[in-house]
Amino acid sequence: MHASLTADGALGLDGVFRRPDSRAALSATTASDQHEADRRRAAWMAAAQAGDRRAYERVLADSLPLIRAAARRQGVPIDNIDDVVQETLLTVHRVRHTYDPSRSYDAWITAIASRRAIDALRSHGRRDRRELHDEQVLDMQTDHADATLDTEREQAARRLHAAIATLPPGQREAVEQLALRERSLAEAAQHTGRNAGALKVNLHRALKALRNRIHGDS
Amino acid sequence: MSDPRNHHALIDALGGELAPVRRLPPPWRRAAGWLLVVAAIAAALFAHYGPDGMLRRWAGTPDLAWAGVGAVLTAITAAWAAFTLGVPGRSPRWAWLPLAPALLWIGASGLGCLRDWVAPGTVVAGPHQPIGCLQFILAFSVPLSALLIWLLRRACPLRPVLTAMLIGLASAAASASLLEICHEFDAAASDLLTHALAVVLVIGINAAMGGRLLQSR
């Protein structure tokens, strides 16, 4: 893929005008490279399904541009693309057993990323509508100036604590150790007896659940 | 969350909890597993009612036979399509697979109403009699749908409502096929409408509830 991109840059406009068939040849090369990359990722994912950590980390890292491209195609704003990437990675981890190595890996992950992108768009759409209503309510309130900042903070904190209390034990523990007590991963791992990887995954999942819970309730 | 460096931290964390997984069998094999359960129920019904009544009805009125074949093929293709849609990256066009058999099922059932003779061993149902058909289809569709939903929750249906509708169609068609074994009424508008109502109910309930149950967590 890199070779073809370099070739594209070197050709420039003159090259394209001089040799009109070069563009077709270039796109054939690019398609062939993409196919090759797809097969490479398929092999990595097959190895990951068997428990090969190195292949798994490679295939996930190699998938990031594919996920971003799928999110962009669905119209996800640039600020939210990284959220879609994270959600897609977590989904891939959960459903990695559904991948069939005889089929395209790129099609598989692109479908998952597109779905997560649509979910993100819907979730942000709902949030935006709620925020709009909140502003209207504030406009209509005559005494909203009475609501002090402290009260608002206190309410938000109470809501956050209530949401944390509903998390599964592993996720709650990760939030308490890493976010509330601000312990380092090593300290938290030592304190809880869990490994750092599990703590990080639990924290990611907890943050996702809290975001959904708090925006869902508000 | 939006720092790209976090992606690598997450990848690292996910790598840390990686365990080998058992790959999902291909959709046709999973559909075959579900159809085996349907076949076992059919075998039990045949053991109880015997095949003679159904074969006599089908020999005397080919439209009933075609409707039965259409229902069986609808169940097979809808289940296959549902399992295929449970795998990310498969084309949503798979949802059209049961269309032709469903048209055969509906068309042959409708044609039966235009016949001017009554199928052997049956009667034309009165206005309240087909309620038994409705109960039969619903009673069998519920466990068959539940089994399909349970099997599909192990997969990753990215279009949960469409998949749930296919589950409903497969279950309703399978239940209608089972009903053929012991159906005592000839095709008539009231009977056909009851069957149609049962199928629509099963698909609707699945779309409303199954869609939620299949949502990816």
Side-chain angles (χ1 to χ4, degrees), chain A residues 49 52-53 56 82 86 93-94 96-99 101 103 107-108 111 115-116 200-201 204-205, chain B residues 2 7 10 12-15 17-24 88-90 154 158 216-217:
Chain A
Q49 287 175 322
D52 182 338
R53 178 178 178 173
Y56 189 47
D82 285 322
Q86 300 256 321
H93 186 67
R94 202 175 55 243
R96 62 191 186 279
H97 64 284
T98 66
Y99 176 62
R103 306 185 75 88
W108 180 78
R115 186 70 241 179
R116 290 290 85 100
K200 270 196 271 186
V201 173
H204 279 289
R205 286 177 182 156
Chain B
S2 59
H7 301 329
L10 179 59
D12 187 45
L14 294 175
E17 66 167 38
L18 182 71
V21 285
R22 197 161 53 91
R23 219 170 272 151
L24 209 60
R90 297 297 182 96
R154 224 199 128 222
L158 296 176
S216 49
R217 286 143 288 158

mmCIF file of all heavy atoms in Angstrom, chain A residues 49 52-53 56 82 86 93-94 96-99 101 103 107-108 111 115-116 200-201 204-205, chain B residues 2 7 10 12-15 17-24 88-90 154 158 216-217:
data_model
loop_
_atom_site.group_PDB
_atom_site.id
_atom_site.type_symbol
_atom_site.label_atom_id
_atom_site.label_comp_id
_atom_site.label_asym_id
_atom_site.label_seq_id
_atom_site.Cartn_x
_atom_site.Cartn_y
_atom_site.Cartn_z
ATOM 1 N N GLN A 49 -7.868 -15.595 17.463
ATOM 2 C CA GLN A 49 -8.953 -16.455 17.956
ATOM 3 C C GLN A 49 -8.388 -17.680 18.679
ATOM 4 O O GLN A 49 -9.022 -18.229 19.574
ATOM 5 C CB GLN A 49 -9.838 -16.907 16.785
ATOM 6 C CG GLN A 49 -10.729 -15.793 16.254
ATOM 7 C CD GLN A 49 -11.511 -16.229 15.028
ATOM 8 O OE1 GLN A 49 -11.009 -16.965 14.179
ATOM 9 N NE2 GLN A 49 -12.753 -15.775 14.925
ATOM 10 N N ASP A 52 -3.401 -15.958 20.267
ATOM 11 C CA ASP A 52 -2.104 -15.311 20.008
ATOM 12 C C ASP A 52 -2.220 -13.807 20.283
ATOM 13 O O ASP A 52 -2.804 -13.058 19.485
ATOM 14 C CB ASP A 52 -1.704 -15.574 18.541
ATOM 15 C CG ASP A 52 -0.337 -14.987 18.205
ATOM 16 O OD1 ASP A 52 0.118 -14.060 18.890
ATOM 17 O OD2 ASP A 52 0.267 -15.462 17.219
ATOM 18 N N ARG A 53 -1.667 -13.376 21.413
ATOM 19 C CA ARG A 53 -1.818 -11.973 21.838
ATOM 20 C C ARG A 53 -1.141 -11.014 20.872
ATOM 21 O O ARG A 53 -1.689 -9.950 20.569
ATOM 22 C CB ARG A 53 -1.237 -11.816 23.250
ATOM 23 C CG ARG A 53 -1.321 -10.389 23.725
ATOM 24 C CD ARG A 53 -0.812 -10.197 25.127
ATOM 25 N NE ARG A 53 -0.895 -8.780 25.454
ATOM 26 C CZ ARG A 53 -0.661 -8.303 26.641
ATOM 27 N NH1 ARG A 53 -0.333 -9.101 27.637
ATOM 28 N NH2 ARG A 53 -0.747 -6.997 26.864
ATOM 29 N N TYR A 56 -3.145 -10.483 17.849
ATOM 30 C CA TYR A 56 -4.359 -9.744 18.202
ATOM 31 C C TYR A 56 -4.066 -8.243 18.275
ATOM 32 O O TYR A 56 -4.789 -7.421 17.713
ATOM 33 C CB TYR A 56 -4.862 -10.261 19.543
ATOM 34 C CG TYR A 56 -6.228 -9.744 19.952
ATOM 35 C CD1 TYR A 56 -7.293 -9.747 19.063
ATOM 36 C CD2 TYR A 56 -6.471 -9.281 21.240
ATOM 37 C CE1 TYR A 56 -8.550 -9.301 19.436
ATOM 38 C CE2 TYR A 56 -7.718 -8.838 21.631
ATOM 39 C CZ TYR A 56 -8.745 -8.851 20.725
ATOM 40 O OH TYR A 56 -9.986 -8.406 21.097
ATOM 41 N N ASP A 82 -12.950 9.079 17.743
ATOM 42 C CA ASP A 82 -12.173 8.240 18.658
ATOM 43 C C ASP A 82 -13.077 7.448 19.605
ATOM 44 O O ASP A 82 -12.728 6.342 20.016
ATOM 45 C CB ASP A 82 -11.164 9.089 19.442
ATOM 46 C CG ASP A 82 -9.994 9.483 18.550
ATOM 47 O OD1 ASP A 82 -9.582 8.648 17.728
ATOM 48 O OD2 ASP A 82 -9.526 10.629 18.654
ATOM 49 N N GLN A 86 -13.059 3.350 20.054
ATOM 50 C CA GLN A 86 -13.013 2.616 21.327
ATOM 51 C C GLN A 86 -14.166 1.618 21.439
ATOM 52 O O GLN A 86 -13.967 0.473 21.836
ATOM 53 C CB GLN A 86 -13.099 3.613 22.495
ATOM 54 C CG GLN A 86 -11.964 4.620 22.511
ATOM 55 C CD GLN A 86 -10.912 4.324 23.555
ATOM 56 O OE1 GLN A 86 -11.240 3.912 24.642
ATOM 57 N NE2 GLN A 86 -9.663 4.521 23.213
ATOM 58 N N HIS A 93 -13.633 -7.203 20.568
ATOM 59 C CA HIS A 93 -13.119 -8.110 21.595
ATOM 60 C C HIS A 93 -14.208 -9.095 22.042
ATOM 61 O O HIS A 93 -13.943 -10.274 22.248
ATOM 62 C CB HIS A 93 -12.626 -7.292 22.786
ATOM 63 C CG HIS A 93 -11.954 -8.131 23.828
ATOM 64 N ND1 HIS A 93 -10.763 -8.768 23.606
ATOM 65 C CD2 HIS A 93 -12.335 -8.462 25.097
ATOM 66 C CE1 HIS A 93 -10.422 -9.446 24.689
ATOM 67 N NE2 HIS A 93 -11.349 -9.274 25.592
ATOM 68 N N ARG A 94 -15.432 -8.575 22.143
ATOM 69 C CA ARG A 94 -16.540 -9.406 22.634
ATOM 70 C C ARG A 94 -17.021 -10.416 21.590
ATOM 71 O O ARG A 94 -17.445 -11.508 21.932
ATOM 72 C CB ARG A 94 -17.689 -8.484 23.057
ATOM 73 C CG ARG A 94 -18.643 -9.097 24.038
ATOM 74 C CD ARG A 94 -19.676 -8.098 24.508
ATOM 75 N NE ARG A 94 -20.387 -7.494 23.406
ATOM 76 C CZ ARG A 94 -20.369 -6.211 23.102
ATOM 77 N NH1 ARG A 94 -19.662 -5.374 23.821
ATOM 78 N NH2 ARG A 94 -21.053 -5.732 22.079
ATOM 79 N N ARG A 96 -15.257 -11.545 18.816
ATOM 80 C CA ARG A 96 -14.195 -12.015 17.914
ATOM 81 C C ARG A 96 -14.423 -13.450 17.456
ATOM 82 O O ARG A 96 -13.897 -13.863 16.431
ATOM 83 C CB ARG A 96 -12.818 -11.857 18.571
ATOM 84 C CG ARG A 96 -12.611 -12.657 19.831
ATOM 85 C CD ARG A 96 -11.323 -12.218 20.523
ATOM 86 N NE ARG A 96 -10.979 -13.035 21.679
ATOM 87 C CZ ARG A 96 -11.506 -12.898 22.886
ATOM 88 N NH1 ARG A 96 -12.411 -11.951 23.116
ATOM 89 N NH2 ARG A 96 -11.155 -13.700 23.879
ATOM 90 N N HIS A 97 -15.240 -14.209 18.205
ATOM 91 C CA HIS A 97 -15.522 -15.593 17.792
ATOM 92 C C HIS A 97 -16.422 -15.651 16.560
ATOM 93 O O HIS A 97 -16.580 -16.700 15.965
ATOM 94 C CB HIS A 97 -16.172 -16.353 18.957
ATOM 95 C CG HIS A 97 -17.510 -15.783 19.345
ATOM 96 N ND1 HIS A 97 -17.639 -14.620 20.071
ATOM 97 C CD2 HIS A 97 -18.768 -16.201 19.081
ATOM 98 C CE1 HIS A 97 -18.927 -14.358 20.246
ATOM 99 N NE2 HIS A 97 -19.629 -15.291 19.652
ATOM 100 N N THR A 98 -17.051 -14.525 16.180
ATOM 101 C CA THR A 98 -17.954 -14.555 15.018
ATOM 102 C C THR A 98 -17.195 -14.394 13.705
ATOM 103 O O THR A 98 -17.791 -14.529 12.641
ATOM 104 C CB THR A 98 -19.029 -13.439 15.085
ATOM 105 O OG1 THR A 98 -18.381 -12.162 14.973
ATOM 106 C CG2 THR A 98 -19.811 -13.489 16.379
ATOM 107 N N TYR A 99 -15.892 -14.095 13.775
ATOM 108 C CA TYR A 99 -15.143 -13.904 12.525
ATOM 109 C C TYR A 99 -14.803 -15.258 11.892
ATOM 110 O O TYR A 99 -14.301 -16.160 12.571
ATOM 111 C CB TYR A 99 -13.862 -13.085 12.761
ATOM 112 C CG TYR A 99 -13.061 -12.988 11.495
ATOM 113 C CD1 TYR A 99 -13.602 -12.355 10.382
ATOM 114 C CD2 TYR A 99 -11.809 -13.584 11.379
ATOM 115 C CE1 TYR A 99 -12.916 -12.320 9.186
ATOM 116 C CE2 TYR A 99 -11.109 -13.545 10.190
ATOM 117 C CZ TYR A 99 -11.680 -12.916 9.093
ATOM 118 O OH TYR A 99 -11.008 -12.897 7.901
ATOM 119 N N PRO A 101 -12.390 -16.874 9.275
ATOM 120 C CA PRO A 101 -11.161 -16.522 8.550
ATOM 121 C C PRO A 101 -11.198 -16.795 7.047
ATOM 122 O O PRO A 101 -10.332 -16.323 6.324
ATOM 123 C CB PRO A 101 -10.089 -17.399 9.217
ATOM 124 C CG PRO A 101 -10.662 -17.772 10.525
ATOM 125 C CD PRO A 101 -12.136 -17.842 10.339
ATOM 126 N N ARG A 103 -13.388 -15.582 5.188
ATOM 127 C CA ARG A 103 -14.048 -14.415 4.591
ATOM 128 C C ARG A 103 -13.235 -13.153 4.892
ATOM 129 O O ARG A 103 -12.289 -13.184 5.673
ATOM 130 C CB ARG A 103 -15.472 -14.283 5.128
ATOM 131 C CG ARG A 103 -16.288 -15.553 4.939
ATOM 132 C CD ARG A 103 -17.702 -15.344 5.357
ATOM 133 N NE ARG A 103 -18.403 -14.561 4.358
ATOM 134 C CZ ARG A 103 -19.013 -15.082 3.302
ATOM 135 N NH1 ARG A 103 -19.056 -16.378 3.140
ATOM 136 N NH2 ARG A 103 -19.611 -14.314 2.427
ATOM 137 N N ALA A 107 -14.317 -6.516 5.671
ATOM 138 C CA ALA A 107 -15.784 -6.393 5.607
ATOM 139 C C ALA A 107 -16.377 -6.607 6.997
ATOM 140 O O ALA A 107 -17.326 -5.923 7.395
ATOM 141 C CB ALA A 107 -16.352 -7.413 4.632
ATOM 142 N N TRP A 108 -15.807 -7.534 7.737
ATOM 143 C CA TRP A 108 -16.306 -7.873 9.082
ATOM 144 C C TRP A 108 -16.144 -6.672 10.027
ATOM 145 O O TRP A 108 -17.092 -6.220 10.659
ATOM 146 C CB TRP A 108 -15.535 -9.091 9.600
ATOM 147 C CG TRP A 108 -15.899 -9.584 10.950
ATOM 148 C CD1 TRP A 108 -17.000 -10.345 11.279
ATOM 149 C CD2 TRP A 108 -15.174 -9.392 12.168
ATOM 150 N NE1 TRP A 108 -16.991 -10.634 12.630
ATOM 151 C CE2 TRP A 108 -15.892 -10.071 13.202
ATOM 152 C CE3 TRP A 108 -14.000 -8.737 12.491
ATOM 153 C CZ2 TRP A 108 -15.446 -10.079 14.517
ATOM 154 C CZ3 TRP A 108 -13.566 -8.757 13.812
ATOM 155 C CH2 TRP A 108 -14.293 -9.419 14.804
ATOM 156 N N ALA A 111 -18.225 -3.549 9.049
ATOM 157 C CA ALA A 111 -19.650 -3.655 9.417
ATOM 158 C C ALA A 111 -19.837 -3.316 10.899
ATOM 159 O O ALA A 111 -20.765 -2.588 11.266
ATOM 160 C CB ALA A 111 -20.152 -5.066 9.130
ATOM 161 N N ARG A 115 -21.781 0.076 12.426
ATOM 162 C CA ARG A 115 -22.881 -0.045 13.384
ATOM 163 C C ARG A 115 -22.622 0.827 14.617
ATOM 164 O O ARG A 115 -23.489 1.538 15.101
ATOM 165 C CB ARG A 115 -23.009 -1.513 13.788
ATOM 166 C CG ARG A 115 -24.169 -1.853 14.652
ATOM 167 C CD ARG A 115 -25.452 -1.746 13.884
ATOM 168 N NE ARG A 115 -26.321 -0.754 14.465
ATOM 169 C CZ ARG A 115 -27.520 -0.426 13.972
ATOM 170 N NH1 ARG A 115 -27.981 -0.997 12.889
ATOM 171 N NH2 ARG A 115 -28.247 0.484 14.562
ATOM 172 N N ARG A 116 -21.390 0.758 15.126
ATOM 173 C CA ARG A 116 -21.051 1.557 16.310
ATOM 174 C C ARG A 116 -21.127 3.051 15.975
ATOM 175 O O ARG A 116 -21.488 3.874 16.818
ATOM 176 C CB ARG A 116 -19.643 1.213 16.811
ATOM 177 C CG ARG A 116 -19.508 -0.178 17.429
ATOM 178 C CD ARG A 116 -20.223 -0.270 18.765
ATOM 179 N NE ARG A 116 -21.634 -0.581 18.622
ATOM 180 C CZ ARG A 116 -22.164 -1.784 18.787
ATOM 181 N NH1 ARG A 116 -21.412 -2.788 19.123
ATOM 182 N NH2 ARG A 116 -23.463 -1.974 18.634
ATOM 183 N N LYS A 200 -7.834 -1.905 33.357
ATOM 184 C CA LYS A 200 -8.021 -0.906 32.295
ATOM 185 C C LYS A 200 -9.295 -1.185 31.504
ATOM 186 O O LYS A 200 -10.069 -0.279 31.205
ATOM 187 C CB LYS A 200 -6.800 -0.927 31.341
ATOM 188 C CG LYS A 200 -5.708 0.034 31.773
ATOM 189 C CD LYS A 200 -4.726 0.280 30.656
ATOM 190 C CE LYS A 200 -3.608 -0.742 30.685
ATOM 191 N NZ LYS A 200 -2.547 -0.476 29.711
ATOM 192 N N VAL A 201 -9.493 -2.463 31.163
ATOM 193 C CA VAL A 201 -10.702 -2.820 30.410
ATOM 194 C C VAL A 201 -11.942 -2.517 31.232
ATOM 195 O O VAL A 201 -12.923 -1.956 30.736
ATOM 196 C CB VAL A 201 -10.659 -4.314 30.001
ATOM 197 C CG1 VAL A 201 -11.981 -4.727 29.386
ATOM 198 C CG2 VAL A 201 -9.525 -4.550 29.032
ATOM 199 N N HIS A 204 -12.626 1.193 31.131
ATOM 200 C CA HIS A 204 -13.231 1.607 29.858
ATOM 201 C C HIS A 204 -14.712 1.265 29.826
ATOM 202 O O HIS A 204 -15.555 2.070 29.441
ATOM 203 C CB HIS A 204 -12.519 0.921 28.686
ATOM 204 C CG HIS A 204 -11.243 1.589 28.293
ATOM 205 N ND1 HIS A 204 -11.205 2.812 27.671
ATOM 206 C CD2 HIS A 204 -9.959 1.207 28.417
ATOM 207 C CE1 HIS A 204 -9.957 3.152 27.446
ATOM 208 N NE2 HIS A 204 -9.170 2.195 27.886
ATOM 209 N N ARG A 205 -15.018 0.040 30.251
ATOM 210 C CA ARG A 205 -16.417 -0.391 30.228
ATOM 211 C C ARG A 205 -17.255 0.421 31.215
ATOM 212 O O ARG A 205 -18.388 0.794 30.931
ATOM 213 C CB ARG A 205 -16.507 -1.879 30.557
ATOM 214 C CG ARG A 205 -16.050 -2.709 29.390
ATOM 215 C CD ARG A 205 -16.056 -4.168 29.678
ATOM 216 N NE ARG A 205 -15.557 -4.879 28.513
ATOM 217 C CZ ARG A 205 -15.001 -6.077 28.544
ATOM 218 N NH1 ARG A 205 -14.879 -6.706 29.685
ATOM 219 N NH2 ARG A 205 -14.589 -6.655 27.438
ATOM 220 N N SER B 2 -10.826 10.426 24.148
ATOM 221 C CA SER B 2 -10.641 10.740 22.740
ATOM 222 C C SER B 2 -9.171 10.901 22.366
ATOM 223 O O SER B 2 -8.851 11.268 21.259
ATOM 224 C CB SER B 2 -11.410 12.018 22.388
ATOM 225 O OG SER B 2 -10.932 13.057 23.181
ATOM 226 N N HIS B 7 -6.154 4.479 22.421
ATOM 227 C CA HIS B 7 -6.499 3.297 21.626
ATOM 228 C C HIS B 7 -5.458 2.223 21.849
ATOM 229 O O HIS B 7 -5.783 1.055 21.988
ATOM 230 C CB HIS B 7 -6.579 3.649 20.143
ATOM 231 C CG HIS B 7 -7.590 4.715 19.836
ATOM 232 N ND1 HIS B 7 -8.732 4.870 20.570
ATOM 233 C CD2 HIS B 7 -7.626 5.662 18.873
ATOM 234 C CE1 HIS B 7 -9.436 5.879 20.083
ATOM 235 N NE2 HIS B 7 -8.780 6.380 19.052
ATOM 236 N N LEU B 10 -5.891 0.735 25.203
ATOM 237 C CA LEU B 10 -7.024 -0.200 25.218
ATOM 238 C C LEU B 10 -6.653 -1.502 24.505
ATOM 239 O O LEU B 10 -6.970 -2.599 24.988
ATOM 240 C CB LEU B 10 -8.247 0.456 24.552
ATOM 241 C CG LEU B 10 -9.507 -0.403 24.480
ATOM 242 C CD1 LEU B 10 -9.974 -0.835 25.868
ATOM 243 C CD2 LEU B 10 -10.635 0.335 23.773
ATOM 244 N N ASP B 12 -3.773 -2.749 24.243
ATOM 245 C CA ASP B 12 -2.870 -3.447 25.153
ATOM 246 C C ASP B 12 -3.673 -4.174 26.243
ATOM 247 O O ASP B 12 -3.406 -5.341 26.572
ATOM 248 C CB ASP B 12 -1.926 -2.391 25.772
ATOM 249 C CG ASP B 12 -0.854 -3.043 26.604
ATOM 250 O OD1 ASP B 12 -0.289 -4.037 26.126
ATOM 251 O OD2 ASP B 12 -0.597 -2.563 27.723
ATOM 252 N N ALA B 13 -4.676 -3.468 26.768
ATOM 253 C CA ALA B 13 -5.498 -4.062 27.825
ATOM 254 C C ALA B 13 -6.313 -5.238 27.295
ATOM 255 O O ALA B 13 -6.424 -6.275 27.954
ATOM 256 C CB ALA B 13 -6.425 -3.000 28.403
ATOM 257 N N LEU B 14 -6.872 -5.078 26.099
ATOM 258 C CA LEU B 14 -7.667 -6.162 25.514
ATOM 259 C C LEU B 14 -6.776 -7.366 25.211
ATOM 260 O O LEU B 14 -7.178 -8.513 25.404
ATOM 261 C CB LEU B 14 -8.369 -5.685 24.235
ATOM 262 C CG LEU B 14 -9.448 -4.606 24.437
ATOM 263 C CD1 LEU B 14 -9.995 -4.121 23.093
ATOM 264 C CD2 LEU B 14 -10.601 -5.129 25.287
ATOM 265 N N GLY B 15 -5.554 -7.067 24.750
ATOM 266 C CA GLY B 15 -4.595 -8.151 24.503
ATOM 267 C C GLY B 15 -4.297 -8.903 25.789
ATOM 268 O O GLY B 15 -4.150 -10.125 25.796
ATOM 269 N N GLU B 17 -6.249 -9.502 28.248
ATOM 270 C CA GLU B 17 -7.301 -10.439 28.692
ATOM 271 C C GLU B 17 -7.758 -11.363 27.558
ATOM 272 O O GLU B 17 -8.847 -11.941 27.615
ATOM 273 C CB GLU B 17 -8.481 -9.691 29.314
ATOM 274 C CG GLU B 17 -9.279 -8.811 28.390
ATOM 275 C CD GLU B 17 -10.597 -8.372 29.041
ATOM 276 O OE1 GLU B 17 -10.598 -8.103 30.248
ATOM 277 O OE2 GLU B 17 -11.603 -8.304 28.338
ATOM 278 N N LEU B 18 -6.916 -11.494 26.536
ATOM 279 C CA LEU B 18 -7.265 -12.366 25.406
ATOM 280 C C LEU B 18 -7.259 -13.832 25.836
ATOM 281 O O LEU B 18 -6.339 -14.281 26.523
ATOM 282 C CB LEU B 18 -6.263 -12.163 24.259
ATOM 283 C CG LEU B 18 -6.545 -12.974 22.999
ATOM 284 C CD1 LEU B 18 -7.764 -12.454 22.264
ATOM 285 C CD2 LEU B 18 -5.334 -12.967 22.066
ATOM 286 N N ALA B 19 -8.284 -14.529 25.427
ATOM 287 C CA ALA B 19 -8.343 -15.980 25.666
ATOM 288 C C ALA B 19 -8.772 -16.634 24.366
ATOM 289 O O ALA B 19 -9.486 -16.000 23.570
ATOM 290 C CB ALA B 19 -9.350 -16.268 26.770
ATOM 291 N N PRO B 20 -8.351 -17.863 24.121
ATOM 292 C CA PRO B 20 -8.794 -18.523 22.888
ATOM 293 C C PRO B 20 -10.317 -18.653 22.865
ATOM 294 O O PRO B 20 -10.938 -18.819 23.915
ATOM 295 C CB PRO B 20 -8.137 -19.914 22.968
ATOM 296 C CG PRO B 20 -7.076 -19.795 23.997
ATOM 297 C CD PRO B 20 -7.493 -18.719 24.940
ATOM 298 N N VAL B 21 -10.896 -18.523 21.678
ATOM 299 C CA VAL B 21 -12.360 -18.622 21.572
ATOM 300 C C VAL B 21 -12.727 -19.735 20.596
ATOM 301 O O VAL B 21 -11.952 -20.056 19.694
ATOM 302 C CB VAL B 21 -12.991 -17.289 21.073
ATOM 303 C CG1 VAL B 21 -13.003 -16.252 22.157
ATOM 304 C CG2 VAL B 21 -12.290 -16.760 19.827
ATOM 305 N N ARG B 22 -13.926 -20.288 20.824
ATOM 306 C CA ARG B 22 -14.434 -21.301 19.898
ATOM 307 C C ARG B 22 -15.178 -20.556 18.789
ATOM 308 O O ARG B 22 -16.105 -19.801 19.070
ATOM 309 C CB ARG B 22 -15.385 -22.254 20.626
ATOM 310 C CG ARG B 22 -15.632 -23.540 19.874
ATOM 311 C CD ARG B 22 -16.167 -24.600 20.850
ATOM 312 N NE ARG B 22 -17.322 -24.114 21.590
ATOM 313 C CZ ARG B 22 -18.588 -24.272 21.181
ATOM 314 N NH1 ARG B 22 -18.847 -24.877 20.052
ATOM 315 N NH2 ARG B 22 -19.583 -23.807 21.912
ATOM 316 N N ARG B 23 -14.719 -20.770 17.565
ATOM 317 C CA ARG B 23 -15.312 -20.041 16.441
ATOM 318 C C ARG B 23 -16.779 -20.449 16.241
ATOM 319 O O ARG B 23 -17.126 -21.609 16.452
ATOM 320 C CB ARG B 23 -14.523 -20.378 15.172
ATOM 321 C CG ARG B 23 -14.321 -19.220 14.261
ATOM 322 C CD ARG B 23 -13.333 -19.585 13.187
ATOM 323 N NE ARG B 23 -11.961 -19.318 13.594
ATOM 324 C CZ ARG B 23 -10.915 -19.999 13.138
ATOM 325 N NH1 ARG B 23 -11.070 -20.986 12.299
ATOM 326 N NH2 ARG B 23 -9.706 -19.688 13.544
ATOM 327 N N LEU B 24 -17.584 -19.474 15.849
ATOM 328 C CA LEU B 24 -18.994 -19.741 15.601
ATOM 329 C C LEU B 24 -19.120 -20.653 14.371
ATOM 330 O O LEU B 24 -18.501 -20.374 13.344
ATOM 331 C CB LEU B 24 -19.673 -18.397 15.305
ATOM 332 C CG LEU B 24 -21.134 -18.212 15.648
ATOM 333 C CD1 LEU B 24 -21.385 -18.409 17.121
ATOM 334 C CD2 LEU B 24 -21.576 -16.822 15.228
ATOM 335 N N PRO B 88 -21.326 -10.336 11.412
ATOM 336 C CA PRO B 88 -20.998 -9.024 10.834
ATOM 337 C C PRO B 88 -20.341 -9.176 9.460
ATOM 338 O O PRO B 88 -19.572 -10.102 9.226
ATOM 339 C CB PRO B 88 -19.999 -8.436 11.836
ATOM 340 C CG PRO B 88 -20.255 -9.142 13.114
ATOM 341 C CD PRO B 88 -20.693 -10.522 12.736
ATOM 342 N N GLY B 89 -20.707 -8.257 8.567
ATOM 343 C CA GLY B 89 -20.081 -8.240 7.248
ATOM 344 C C GLY B 89 -20.884 -8.979 6.190
ATOM 345 O O GLY B 89 -20.574 -8.875 5.010
ATOM 346 N N ARG B 90 -21.908 -9.735 6.605
ATOM 347 C CA ARG B 90 -22.732 -10.424 5.609
ATOM 348 C C ARG B 90 -23.765 -9.446 5.051
ATOM 349 O O ARG B 90 -24.253 -8.573 5.771
ATOM 350 C CB ARG B 90 -23.442 -11.632 6.227
ATOM 351 C CG ARG B 90 -22.503 -12.707 6.723
ATOM 352 C CD ARG B 90 -21.707 -13.299 5.565
ATOM 353 N NE ARG B 90 -20.829 -14.361 6.017
ATOM 354 C CZ ARG B 90 -21.153 -15.653 5.968
ATOM 355 N NH1 ARG B 90 -22.298 -16.041 5.502
ATOM 356 N NH2 ARG B 90 -20.293 -16.551 6.394
ATOM 357 N N ARG B 154 -25.478 -15.457 20.839
ATOM 358 C CA ARG B 154 -24.056 -15.811 20.841
ATOM 359 C C ARG B 154 -23.352 -15.190 19.638
ATOM 360 O O ARG B 154 -22.137 -15.094 19.599
ATOM 361 C CB ARG B 154 -23.907 -17.335 20.780
ATOM 362 C CG ARG B 154 -22.859 -17.807 21.744
ATOM 363 C CD ARG B 154 -22.303 -19.168 21.492
ATOM 364 N NE ARG B 154 -20.851 -19.108 21.464
ATOM 365 C CZ ARG B 154 -20.092 -19.745 20.600
ATOM 366 N NH1 ARG B 154 -20.633 -20.494 19.686
ATOM 367 N NH2 ARG B 154 -18.787 -19.629 20.634
ATOM 368 N N LEU B 158 -26.058 -7.286 13.736
ATOM 369 C CA LEU B 158 -25.910 -5.824 13.707
ATOM 370 C C LEU B 158 -27.220 -5.141 13.289
ATOM 371 O O LEU B 158 -27.347 -3.934 13.407
ATOM 372 C CB LEU B 158 -24.784 -5.433 12.749
ATOM 373 C CG LEU B 158 -23.388 -5.917 13.173
ATOM 374 C CD1 LEU B 158 -22.352 -5.572 12.125
ATOM 375 C CD2 LEU B 158 -22.984 -5.338 14.520
ATOM 376 N N SER B 216 -26.810 -5.509 20.653
ATOM 377 C CA SER B 216 -25.488 -5.779 21.190
ATOM 378 C C SER B 216 -25.275 -4.960 22.452
ATOM 379 O O SER B 216 -25.678 -3.801 22.524
ATOM 380 C CB SER B 216 -24.431 -5.435 20.171
ATOM 381 O OG SER B 216 -24.666 -4.162 19.664
ATOM 382 N N ARG B 217 -24.690 -5.638 23.458
ATOM 383 C CA ARG B 217 -24.523 -4.943 24.738
ATOM 384 C C ARG B 217 -23.277 -4.088 24.722
ATOM 385 O O ARG B 217 -22.418 -4.243 23.919
ATOM 386 C CB ARG B 217 -24.435 -5.953 25.871
ATOM 387 C CG ARG B 217 -25.776 -6.573 26.178
ATOM 388 C CD ARG B 217 -25.646 -8.032 26.546
ATOM 389 N NE ARG B 217 -25.322 -8.808 25.368
ATOM 390 C CZ ARG B 217 -24.756 -9.994 25.391
ATOM 391 N NH1 ARG B 217 -24.432 -10.519 26.520
ATOM 392 N NH2 ARG B 217 -24.482 -10.669 24.289
#
